[in-house]
Amino acid sequence: MHDITPGIAQDEQVKGFVRRTPWLMQVLDAVRPQGWVSWCIGAGAVRCAVWEALHGRAAGALPPSSLGDIDVVYFDAREVEPDHWQSAQALARQQLQDRLPWARWEVVNQAAVHCWYRGATGQPVPPFVSLEQAVASWPEVATCVGVYLDARDELQLVAPLGLDDLLTLRVRYNSSDAGRVSAAVYAERMACKRWQCEWPGLKIESASQKQ
């Protein structure tokens, strides 16, 4: 296991892990030309890179086979009306696939997530007002972290719920937006993903545990 270095800020610890993860830097370089004002690589890609590093594993040119899609999220309210968001997401995904073919891309405009909920589940949810609010709604607190390259090609983080859980290998239900992701969905995710088989140092809490 890799210990957190004392005296170094949490954001710099995470940025250091990202810089030492070649496949994640390739992904960031591929997304940067899209020109989105507000975007990040989030969820599984960041979580996987940090947990791999904390388990003492050297990163390679390609991600571990346990990583599913590369989650690219951006915020552009201009695409929501008229119903342009699906075609815009599809075009962005194809552009990224052409640019970096080995990656399995998932591209979502967070400004249009409420449209997806309305169409797919019939569930009315309020629209997000920012990328940060969207990232803060993801199922686990440790998952609510994204990373992007700014205009100077410097790494920046989106971490509205902080970095404690990610860096201490703590996995717990994010109850701040239960209208989108219920405790039952969190429990299903934990049963399905079996993260402790891949990263045995994780401390996984049930949704009913006191936060």
Side-chain angles (χ1 to χ4, degrees):
M1 298 288 288
H2 185 288
D3 293 327
I4 297 299
T5 305
I8 298 181
Q10 289 183 326
D11 59 338
E12 291 303 321
Q13 298 267 4
V14 172
K15 289 177 186 178
F17 291 144
V18 172
R19 292 188 188 99
R20 294 191 292 275
T21 304
W23 61 263
L24 185 48
M25 293 303 300
Q26 287 183 60
V27 167
L28 288 163
D29 286 336
V31 179
R32 176 79 173 79
Q34 292 298 122
W36 291 314
V37 174
S38 181
W39 67 277
C40 69
I41 302 294
V46 178
R47 187 182 60 218
C48 178
V50 173
W51 287 351
E52 285 285 289
L54 290 174
H55 280 75
R57 300 168 188 164
L62 296 176
S65 58
S66 57
L67 178 65
D69 295 332
I70 302 293
D71 293 299
V72 182
V73 295
Y74 67 102
F75 192 91
D76 189 345
R78 297 171 301 176
E79 293 179 359
V80 179
E81 298 296 344
D83 290 335
H84 175 54
W85 59 277
Q86 290 173 310
S87 59
Q89 288 179 177
L91 175 60
R93 182 183 181 280
Q94 187 58 57
Q95 290 170 334
L96 292 170
Q97 199 70 61
D98 292 343
R99 203 171 292 142
L100 195 62
W102 61 255
R104 290 175 289 179
W105 297 99
E106 178 71 20
V107 181
V108 177
N109 180 1
Q110 296 296 309
V113 166
H114 64 289
C115 299
W116 178 87
Y117 269 91
R118 184 175 62 232
T121 70
Q123 179 182 3
V125 295
F128 293 125
V129 300
S130 68
L131 184 70
E132 290 75 14
Q133 185 188 34
V135 172
S137 74
W138 292 347
E140 304 86 31
V141 175
T143 298
C144 299
V145 179
V147 62
Y148 66 96
L149 292 172
D150 66 16
R152 297 174 295 175
D153 280 336
E154 294 182 1
L155 283 175
Q156 303 295 341
L157 298 180
V158 178
L161 301 185
L163 299 168
D164 281 347
D165 283 32
L166 181 64
L167 289 172
T168 59
L169 300 172
R170 182 187 185 191
V171 180
R172 59 183 169 125
Y173 172 52
N174 175 19
S175 60
S176 64
D177 199 349
R180 286 184 171 85
V181 181
S182 67
V185 169
Y186 167 79
E188 290 172 5
R189 280 172 57 82
M190 293 303 99
C192 176
K193 292 183 177 296
R194 304 180 65 191
W195 281 336
Q196 280 180 315
C197 295
E198 184 73 18
W199 300 288
L202 295 179
K203 302 174 284 291
I204 297 181
E205 301 179 6
S206 69
S208 60
Q209 283 182 253
K210 187 175 181 180
Q211 303 298 302

